[in-house]
């Protein structure tokens, strides 16, 4: 039986769902952060349970043939990039096998039709959004960066290699201003301090930049002067405050206060332009998003006569793509600001066949089907990480659309939901993973399901 602080030499054999290495020491399973399959390493046990434990990588004796030199020197401390030391080719293979494994073991599909992952040409500097917490280091200096893995300790870093290059200049302007004005930063333990986070967004197609300061109050000292400095950054379009006075780990509140410029930025994916507010959900990787949405559109198989429901539609990103080829699209989203943006985006693009409803998908969909008789030829669903609500899945089965296109950021909950849908009369036709989150363990997946009533037809996908 191993104990805490024991040091063992192990060969890393596999990778877990969160990118951790998995090894065995005399039959004892160890989960090793930063360990890669093939590594022979000395590992210190930091937490020991009866059947398994967690280890820290102390020294690599023989590196994996797929280990590369990470671009970021802080990748082991920061909780953002779990697999930056793994070659990109192997990252894609790992993600494909992760999706396949979940579909087999959770979904019960013996041979799931999983295609190779659609990868990126450049798996760095792809993020159009980042949220930076502010705090103080052990010497009392104000810092910003990202949280260390599984903690709320800030790893100071103004230049994440996944983010837009402008982030560094913006953060350094804010840090300098805080020091000059002696403005306090938030302390989670006491609930005191003013500045909590800075949200930075960039429209990759438009070059427009947004800075939204999340504050523990309703004002920010010298906000106009700070806005002057921020607007010196090329592309700066929007500076706002977000009010969050609650003692919570939730990053943003619901109220946006304008400071300078617009309260939104513009961007485009393919031919569709979008208005993006601080609270809007918008995919963080615009290059891969176009590939993701095109796959969803292809899977929908639209001919111009279909009625389509887009559930968890956000600001209408997928809805407006679908509206190009559908007769009618109905979008459902719970966040009021996102629904307003979706309607504005439809008007902005001259799209008249898309209609948006505010509410929970699991409540709106049954009501529109049962009370108003609105049917669906195709349902597209892009739920949060937790997957679809049971009531939502049940209503989808009652509506019996010819095709369901399921877009997922969590292949485990995807597999769970697909098992229910396929038990209710659907067939798993195709699974296309898309790498939206290079250097991390995350993977997006698009799935096509067809109803049993269409199985005898000649479907070309």
């Amino acid at each position: 039986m191993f104990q805490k602080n024991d040091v063992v030499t192990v060969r890393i054999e596999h990778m877990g769902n969160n990118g951790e290495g998995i090894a065995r020491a005399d039959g004892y399973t160890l989960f090793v952060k930063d360990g890669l399959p093939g590594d022979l390493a000395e590992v210190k046990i930091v937490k020991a349970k009866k059947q398994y434990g967690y280890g820290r990588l102390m020294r690599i004796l023989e590196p994996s043939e797929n280990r590369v030199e990470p671009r970021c020197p802080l990748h082991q401390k920061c909780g953002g990039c779990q697999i930056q030391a793994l070659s990109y080719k192997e990252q894609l293979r790992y993600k494909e096998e992760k999706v396949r494994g979940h579909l087999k073991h959770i979904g019960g599909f013996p041979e799931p039709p999983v295609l190779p992952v659609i990868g990126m040409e450049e798996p760095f500097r792809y993020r159009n959004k980042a949220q930076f917490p502010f705090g103080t280091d052990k010497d009392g200096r104000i810092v910003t960066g990202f949280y260390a893995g599984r903690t709320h300790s800030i790893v100071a870093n103004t230049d994440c290699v996944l983010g837009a290059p402008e982030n560094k200049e913006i953060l350094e302007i804010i840090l300098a201003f805080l020091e000059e004005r002696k403005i306090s930063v938030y302390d989670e333990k006491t609930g005191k301090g003013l500045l909590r986070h800075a949200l930075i967004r960039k429209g990759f197609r438009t070059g427009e930049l947004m800075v939204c300061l999340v504050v523990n109050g309703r004002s920010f000292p010298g906000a106009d002067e700070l806005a002057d400095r921020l607007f010196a950054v090329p592309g700066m379009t929007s500076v706002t405050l977000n009010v969050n006075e609650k003692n919570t780990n939730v990053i943003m509140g619901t109220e946006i206060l304008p400071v300078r410029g617009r309260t939104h930025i513009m961007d485009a994916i393919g031919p569709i332009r979008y208005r993006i507010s601080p609270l809007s959900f918008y995919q963080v990787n615009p290059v891969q998003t176009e590939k993701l949405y095109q796959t969803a559109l292809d899977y929908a198989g639209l001919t111009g006569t279909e009625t389509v429901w887009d559930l968890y539609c956000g600001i209408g990103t997928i809805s407006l793509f679908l509206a190009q080829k559908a007769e009618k699209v109905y979008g459902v989203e719970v966040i009021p600001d996102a629904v307003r943006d979706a309607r504005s985006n439809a008007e902005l693009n001259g799209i008249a066949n898309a209609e948006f409803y505010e509410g929970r998908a699991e409540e709106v969909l049954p009501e529109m089907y049962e009370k108003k008789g609105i049917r669906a030829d195709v349902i597209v669903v892009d739920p949060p990480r937790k997957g679809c609500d049971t009531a939502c899945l049940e209503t989808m089965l009652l509506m019996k659309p010819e095709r369901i296109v399921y877009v997922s950021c969590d292949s485990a909950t995807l597999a769970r939901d697909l098992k229910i849908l396929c038990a209710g009369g659907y067939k798993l036709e195709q699974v296309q993973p898309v790498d939206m989150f290079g250097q991390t363990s995350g993977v997006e997946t698009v799935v096509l399901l067809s109803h049993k009533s269409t199985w005898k037809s000649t479907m070309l996908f």
Side-chain angles (χ1 to χ4, degrees):
M1 174 67 180
F2 291 101
Q3 297 180 346
K4 182 178 178 180
N5 295 326
D6 284 350
V7 176
V8 295
T9 298
V10 293
R11 179 78 69 177
I12 308 295
E13 300 172 1
H14 308 288
M15 287 180 69
N17 290 332
N18 297 313
E20 70 278 21
I22 301 176
R24 289 187 178 275
D26 296 331
Y28 186 74
T29 301
L30 276 175
F31 298 96
V32 184
K33 181 181 180 296
D34 302 315
L36 301 181
D39 283 342
L40 180 67
E42 286 184 355
V43 173
K44 182 177 182 179
I45 298 175
V46 295
K47 188 174 183 180
K49 293 184 176 290
K50 187 175 181 180
Q51 301 295 332
Y52 63 92
Y54 297 90
R56 178 183 297 124
L57 194 67
M58 302 299 289
R59 187 161 66 103
I60 298 174
L61 304 175
E62 294 177 12
S64 164
E65 63 180 5
N66 297 310
R67 182 174 283 276
V68 298
E69 186 64 31
R71 285 197 192 181
C72 177
L74 300 172
H75 80 282
Q76 286 185 302
K77 293 182 179 180
C78 176
C81 293
Q82 302 89 12
I83 56 174
Q84 196 179 131
L86 184 65
S87 73
Y88 189 58
K89 179 181 177 181
E90 283 301 304
Q91 289 185 30
L92 298 182
R93 193 189 67 79
Y94 157 70
K95 294 180 182 189
E96 180 183 333
E97 289 306 312
K98 177 178 175 177
V99 172
R100 181 177 284 107
H102 281 151
L103 291 175
K104 282 184 175 181
H105 302 305
I106 300 175
F109 301 97
E111 297 295 332
V114 181
L115 297 172
V117 181
I118 297 175
M120 307 182 209
E121 292 181 12
E122 175 50 60
F124 292 94
R125 299 293 184 192
Y126 60 81
R127 287 188 63 95
N128 58 18
K129 172 189 173 184
Q131 295 171 132
F132 297 89
F134 283 79
T136 55
D137 64 15
K138 61 182 181 181
D139 298 318
R141 290 174 298 194
I142 296 175
V143 295
T144 188
F146 297 97
Y147 292 128
R150 302 180 182 274
T151 77
H152 270 218
S153 298
I154 297 174
V155 177
N157 183 13
T158 58
D159 191 22
C160 171
V161 297
L162 303 190
E166 293 91 343
N167 290 351
K168 183 176 188 293
E169 182 179 1
I170 290 169
L171 292 172
E172 288 177 352
I173 288 172
I174 296 171
L175 286 168
F177 191 81
L178 294 173
E179 291 289 354
E180 288 175 23
R181 289 296 191 103
K182 306 300 180 187
I183 296 171
S184 61
V185 293
Y186 188 69
D187 184 332
E188 290 184 349
K189 295 178 181 179
T190 65
K192 305 293 184 181
L194 182 60
L195 182 60
R196 301 173 70 127
H197 283 77
L199 163 71
I200 305 175
R201 285 187 128 142
K202 179 181 179 180
F204 274 36
R205 288 272 291 275
T206 63
E208 294 185 356
L209 291 166
M210 166 192 292
V211 174
C212 180
L213 303 178
V214 184
V215 293
N216 182 31
R218 300 190 57 81
S219 63
F220 191 85
D224 287 337
E225 182 183 345
L226 177 57
D228 287 341
R229 299 187 192 184
L230 291 172
F231 263 77
V233 180
M236 190 61 62
T237 304
S238 171
V239 176
T240 59
L241 302 179
N242 174 260
V243 179
N244 184 359
E245 298 178 294
K246 296 181 179 179
N247 187 8
T248 174
N249 288 336
V250 176
I251 293 175
M252 300 189 75
T254 58
E255 186 178 3
I256 302 296
L257 303 177
V259 176
R260 181 75 53 83
R262 303 196 304 256
T263 56
H264 65 274
I265 60 173
M266 303 298 299
D267 200 16
I269 301 174
I272 307 298
R273 293 180 295 159
Y274 298 99
R275 168 188 169 127
I276 307 159
S277 301
L279 295 173
S280 298
F281 172 78
Y282 187 68
Q283 291 280 6
V284 301
N285 186 332
V287 174
Q288 292 297 97
T289 295
E290 188 165 351
K291 300 173 186 177
L292 180 81
Y293 288 177
Q294 187 58 54
T295 301
L297 182 59
D298 292 344
Y299 281 3
L302 304 177
T303 63
T305 62
E306 293 86 0
T307 297
V308 182
W309 278 91
D310 177 17
L311 310 183
Y312 311 92
C313 71
I315 63 172
T317 45
I318 296 181
S319 302
L320 301 184
F321 253 67
L322 298 168
Q324 299 173 88
K325 293 190 176 182
E327 180 175 330
K328 183 74 175 184
V329 176
Y330 296 98
V332 183
E333 172 57 49
V334 71
I335 300 174
D337 281 356
V339 174
R340 286 193 287 270
D341 282 343
R343 291 167 179 161
S344 296
N345 289 332
E347 184 177 353
L348 177 70
N349 290 278
I351 294 175
N353 62 331
E355 191 172 331
F356 297 95
Y357 293 93
E358 180 186 328
R360 295 164 60 88
E362 53 269 26
E363 295 173 357
V364 173
L365 189 62
E367 180 181 356
M368 300 304 290
Y369 174 65
E370 295 169 5
K371 295 183 180 179
K372 297 189 178 181
I374 298 179
R375 61 186 182 86
D377 298 303
V378 178
I379 289 179
V380 177
V381 57
D382 185 4
R385 187 169 296 277
K386 67 179 181 179
C388 291
D389 185 273
T390 302
C392 182
L393 291 171
E394 290 173 349
T395 305
M396 289 164 66
L397 291 174
L398 284 173
M399 294 177 78
K400 298 178 182 177
E402 292 182 9
R403 290 177 294 284
I404 295 174
V405 180
Y406 196 130
V407 181
S408 170
C409 62
D410 188 306
S411 53
T413 56
L414 167 69
R416 178 202 67 199
D417 290 352
L418 293 184
K419 184 175 185 178
I420 294 170
L421 292 170
C422 288
Y426 282 86
K427 179 182 178 183
L428 180 60
E429 296 280 1
Q430 205 159 84
V431 180
Q432 178 62 76
V434 181
D435 186 27
M436 302 282 285
F437 318 107
Q439 319 309 322
T440 81
S441 60
V443 59
E444 201 90 4
T445 310
V446 191
V447 172
L448 170 63
L449 300 171
S450 65
H451 193 264
K452 60 184 178 182
S453 62
T454 68
W455 292 354
K456 292 182 181 180
S457 63
T458 56
M459 294 176 60
L460 300 177
F461 295 105

